[in-house]
PDB file of all heavy atoms in Angstrom:
ATOM      1  N   ARG A 154      -6.249  29.927  17.634  1.00  0.00           N
ATOM      2  CA  ARG A 154      -6.333  29.845  19.096  1.00  0.00           C
ATOM      3  C   ARG A 154      -5.217  28.951  19.649  1.00  0.00           C
ATOM      4  O   ARG A 154      -4.540  29.316  20.616  1.00  0.00           O
ATOM      5  CB  ARG A 154      -7.695  29.268  19.523  1.00  0.00           C
ATOM      6  CG  ARG A 154      -7.814  29.106  21.039  1.00  0.00           C
ATOM      7  CD  ARG A 154      -9.014  28.241  21.435  1.00  0.00           C
ATOM      8  NE  ARG A 154      -8.979  27.944  22.854  1.00  0.00           N
ATOM      9  CZ  ARG A 154      -9.628  28.637  23.786  1.00  0.00           C
ATOM     10  NH1 ARG A 154     -10.359  29.668  23.439  1.00  0.00           N
ATOM     11  NH2 ARG A 154      -9.533  28.317  25.058  1.00  0.00           N
ATOM     12  N   VAL A 158      -2.259  30.198  22.240  1.00  0.00           N
ATOM     13  CA  VAL A 158      -1.993  29.567  23.538  1.00  0.00           C
ATOM     14  C   VAL A 158      -0.529  29.137  23.627  1.00  0.00           C
ATOM     15  O   VAL A 158       0.150  29.374  24.630  1.00  0.00           O
ATOM     16  CB  VAL A 158      -2.933  28.359  23.748  1.00  0.00           C
ATOM     17  CG1 VAL A 158      -2.496  27.527  24.940  1.00  0.00           C
ATOM     18  CG2 VAL A 158      -4.375  28.834  23.924  1.00  0.00           C
ATOM     19  N   ARG A 162       2.370  30.697  26.231  1.00  0.00           N
ATOM     20  CA  ARG A 162       3.160  29.836  27.127  1.00  0.00           C
ATOM     21  C   ARG A 162       4.652  30.011  26.852  1.00  0.00           C
ATOM     22  O   ARG A 162       5.459  30.107  27.775  1.00  0.00           O
ATOM     23  CB  ARG A 162       2.777  28.372  26.923  1.00  0.00           C
ATOM     24  CG  ARG A 162       1.423  28.002  27.477  1.00  0.00           C
ATOM     25  CD  ARG A 162       1.258  26.480  27.355  1.00  0.00           C
ATOM     26  NE  ARG A 162       0.077  25.986  28.010  1.00  0.00           N
ATOM     27  CZ  ARG A 162      -0.052  25.855  29.338  1.00  0.00           C
ATOM     28  NH1 ARG A 162       0.951  26.201  30.128  1.00  0.00           N
ATOM     29  NH2 ARG A 162      -1.157  25.384  29.856  1.00  0.00           N
ATOM     30  N   LEU A 172       5.402  27.900  35.652  1.00  0.00           N
ATOM     31  CA  LEU A 172       3.967  27.615  35.578  1.00  0.00           C
ATOM     32  C   LEU A 172       3.504  27.046  36.907  1.00  0.00           C
ATOM     33  O   LEU A 172       4.047  26.050  37.386  1.00  0.00           O
ATOM     34  CB  LEU A 172       3.692  26.594  34.469  1.00  0.00           C
ATOM     35  CG  LEU A 172       2.259  26.065  34.406  1.00  0.00           C
ATOM     36  CD1 LEU A 172       1.305  27.155  33.938  1.00  0.00           C
ATOM     37  CD2 LEU A 172       2.170  24.846  33.509  1.00  0.00           C
ATOM     38  N   VAL A 173       2.515  27.694  37.518  1.00  0.00           N
ATOM     39  CA  VAL A 173       1.921  27.194  38.768  1.00  0.00           C
ATOM     40  C   VAL A 173       0.415  27.131  38.551  1.00  0.00           C
ATOM     41  O   VAL A 173      -0.218  28.156  38.313  1.00  0.00           O
ATOM     42  CB  VAL A 173       2.250  28.126  39.953  1.00  0.00           C
ATOM     43  CG1 VAL A 173       1.611  27.592  41.227  1.00  0.00           C
ATOM     44  CG2 VAL A 173       3.760  28.263  40.137  1.00  0.00           C
ATOM     45  N   ASP A 174      -0.144  25.923  38.598  1.00  0.00           N
ATOM     46  CA  ASP A 174      -1.571  25.794  38.317  1.00  0.00           C
ATOM     47  C   ASP A 174      -2.408  26.235  39.515  1.00  0.00           C
ATOM     48  O   ASP A 174      -2.128  25.845  40.648  1.00  0.00           O
ATOM     49  CB  ASP A 174      -1.892  24.331  37.975  1.00  0.00           C
ATOM     50  CG  ASP A 174      -1.144  23.893  36.729  1.00  0.00           C
ATOM     51  OD1 ASP A 174      -1.173  24.642  35.734  1.00  0.00           O
ATOM     52  OD2 ASP A 174      -0.510  22.819  36.754  1.00  0.00           O
ATOM     53  N   TYR A 220       3.224  32.106  36.430  1.00  0.00           N
ATOM     54  CA  TYR A 220       1.989  32.356  35.680  1.00  0.00           C
ATOM     55  C   TYR A 220       1.103  31.133  35.780  1.00  0.00           C
ATOM     56  O   TYR A 220       1.584  30.020  36.061  1.00  0.00           O
ATOM     57  CB  TYR A 220       2.281  32.692  34.212  1.00  0.00           C
ATOM     58  CG  TYR A 220       2.658  31.519  33.326  1.00  0.00           C
ATOM     59  CD1 TYR A 220       1.720  30.919  32.483  1.00  0.00           C
ATOM     60  CD2 TYR A 220       3.958  31.019  33.313  1.00  0.00           C
ATOM     61  CE1 TYR A 220       2.063  29.865  31.649  1.00  0.00           C
ATOM     62  CE2 TYR A 220       4.312  29.960  32.486  1.00  0.00           C
ATOM     63  CZ  TYR A 220       3.355  29.381  31.654  1.00  0.00           C
ATOM     64  OH  TYR A 220       3.703  28.330  30.841  1.00  0.00           O
ATOM     65  N   CYS A 221      -0.186  31.356  35.575  1.00  0.00           N
ATOM     66  CA  CYS A 221      -1.112  30.232  35.475  1.00  0.00           C
ATOM     67  C   CYS A 221      -1.913  30.406  34.202  1.00  0.00           C
ATOM     68  O   CYS A 221      -2.043  31.517  33.671  1.00  0.00           O
ATOM     69  CB  CYS A 221      -2.035  30.131  36.688  1.00  0.00           C
ATOM     70  SG  CYS A 221      -3.202  31.479  36.875  1.00  0.00           S
ATOM     71  N   PHE A 222      -2.428  29.305  33.710  1.00  0.00           N
ATOM     72  CA  PHE A 222      -3.242  29.345  32.508  1.00  0.00           C
ATOM     73  C   PHE A 222      -4.350  28.313  32.667  1.00  0.00           C
ATOM     74  O   PHE A 222      -4.064  27.133  32.836  1.00  0.00           O
ATOM     75  CB  PHE A 222      -2.402  29.026  31.268  1.00  0.00           C
ATOM     76  CG  PHE A 222      -3.226  28.976  30.002  1.00  0.00           C
ATOM     77  CD1 PHE A 222      -3.911  30.093  29.574  1.00  0.00           C
ATOM     78  CD2 PHE A 222      -3.329  27.807  29.265  1.00  0.00           C
ATOM     79  CE1 PHE A 222      -4.685  30.054  28.423  1.00  0.00           C
ATOM     80  CE2 PHE A 222      -4.098  27.758  28.107  1.00  0.00           C
ATOM     81  CZ  PHE A 222      -4.780  28.889  27.692  1.00  0.00           C
ATOM     82  N   GLY A 223      -5.582  28.763  32.640  1.00  0.00           N
ATOM     83  CA  GLY A 223      -6.665  27.811  32.821  1.00  0.00           C
ATOM     84  C   GLY A 223      -8.007  28.469  32.642  1.00  0.00           C
ATOM     85  O   GLY A 223      -8.102  29.668  32.377  1.00  0.00           O
ATOM     86  N   PRO A 224      -9.054  27.652  32.789  1.00  0.00           N
ATOM     87  CA  PRO A 224     -10.402  28.197  32.629  1.00  0.00           C
ATOM     88  C   PRO A 224     -10.845  28.961  33.866  1.00  0.00           C
ATOM     89  O   PRO A 224     -10.432  28.632  34.976  1.00  0.00           O
ATOM     90  CB  PRO A 224     -11.253  26.938  32.441  1.00  0.00           C
ATOM     91  CG  PRO A 224     -10.520  25.874  33.190  1.00  0.00           C
ATOM     92  CD  PRO A 224      -9.055  26.222  33.097  1.00  0.00           C
ATOM     93  N   TRP A 241     -10.871  31.328  29.210  1.00  0.00           N
ATOM     94  CA  TRP A 241      -9.509  30.991  29.628  1.00  0.00           C
ATOM     95  C   TRP A 241      -8.694  32.257  29.815  1.00  0.00           C
ATOM     96  O   TRP A 241      -8.807  33.209  29.047  1.00  0.00           O
ATOM     97  CB  TRP A 241      -8.857  30.079  28.585  1.00  0.00           C
ATOM     98  CG  TRP A 241      -9.436  28.701  28.628  1.00  0.00           C
ATOM     99  CD1 TRP A 241     -10.731  28.350  28.345  1.00  0.00           C
ATOM    100  CD2 TRP A 241      -8.771  27.498  29.002  1.00  0.00           C
ATOM    101  NE1 TRP A 241     -10.902  26.997  28.521  1.00  0.00           N
ATOM    102  CE2 TRP A 241      -9.713  26.448  28.921  1.00  0.00           C
ATOM    103  CE3 TRP A 241      -7.463  27.190  29.397  1.00  0.00           C
ATOM    104  CZ2 TRP A 241      -9.390  25.121  29.215  1.00  0.00           C
ATOM    105  CZ3 TRP A 241      -7.144  25.868  29.681  1.00  0.00           C
ATOM    106  CH2 TRP A 241      -8.098  24.850  29.591  1.00  0.00           C
ATOM    107  N   MET A 242      -7.867  32.207  30.848  1.00  0.00           N
ATOM    108  CA  MET A 242      -7.081  33.381  31.184  1.00  0.00           C
ATOM    109  C   MET A 242      -5.643  32.953  31.471  1.00  0.00           C
ATOM    110  O   MET A 242      -5.413  31.892  32.055  1.00  0.00           O
ATOM    111  CB  MET A 242      -7.701  34.063  32.418  1.00  0.00           C
ATOM    112  CG  MET A 242      -7.447  35.521  32.438  1.00  0.00           C
ATOM    113  SD  MET A 242      -8.590  36.492  33.444  1.00  0.00           S
ATOM    114  CE  MET A 242      -8.822  35.605  34.934  1.00  0.00           C
ATOM    115  N   ILE A 243      -4.704  33.786  31.049  1.00  0.00           N
ATOM    116  CA  ILE A 243      -3.303  33.562  31.416  1.00  0.00           C
ATOM    117  C   ILE A 243      -2.916  34.698  32.341  1.00  0.00           C
ATOM    118  O   ILE A 243      -3.153  35.870  32.039  1.00  0.00           O
ATOM    119  CB  ILE A 243      -2.388  33.430  30.172  1.00  0.00           C
ATOM    120  CG1 ILE A 243      -1.001  32.957  30.584  1.00  0.00           C
ATOM    121  CG2 ILE A 243      -2.333  34.713  29.351  1.00  0.00           C
ATOM    122  CD1 ILE A 243      -0.216  32.292  29.467  1.00  0.00           C
ATOM    123  N   GLU A 244      -2.391  34.345  33.524  1.00  0.00           N
ATOM    124  CA  GLU A 244      -2.178  35.334  34.577  1.00  0.00           C
ATOM    125  C   GLU A 244      -0.760  35.266  35.140  1.00  0.00           C
ATOM    126  O   GLU A 244      -0.448  34.388  35.941  1.00  0.00           O
ATOM    127  CB  GLU A 244      -3.187  35.111  35.713  1.00  0.00           C
ATOM    128  CG  GLU A 244      -4.632  35.282  35.284  1.00  0.00           C
ATOM    129  CD  GLU A 244      -5.611  34.930  36.391  1.00  0.00           C
ATOM    130  OE1 GLU A 244      -5.965  33.742  36.500  1.00  0.00           O
ATOM    131  OE2 GLU A 244      -5.992  35.836  37.139  1.00  0.00           O
ATOM    132  N   ILE A 422      -7.999  34.988  26.915  1.00  0.00           N
ATOM    133  CA  ILE A 422      -7.591  34.323  25.666  1.00  0.00           C
ATOM    134  C   ILE A 422      -8.631  34.526  24.564  1.00  0.00           C
ATOM    135  O   ILE A 422      -8.288  34.859  23.421  1.00  0.00           O
ATOM    136  CB  ILE A 422      -7.363  32.815  25.912  1.00  0.00           C
ATOM    137  CG1 ILE A 422      -6.139  32.600  26.804  1.00  0.00           C
ATOM    138  CG2 ILE A 422      -7.207  32.064  24.585  1.00  0.00           C
ATOM    139  CD1 ILE A 422      -4.817  33.006  26.185  1.00  0.00           C
TER     140      ILE A 422
END
Side-chain angles (χ1 to χ4, degrees):
Chain A
R154 178 193 171 95
V158 169
R162 287 187 172 285
L172 172 70
V173 179
D174 298 312
Y220 76 100
C221 66
F222 177 61
W241 287 64
M242 209 158 43
I243 190 158
E244 298 175 273
I422 292 294

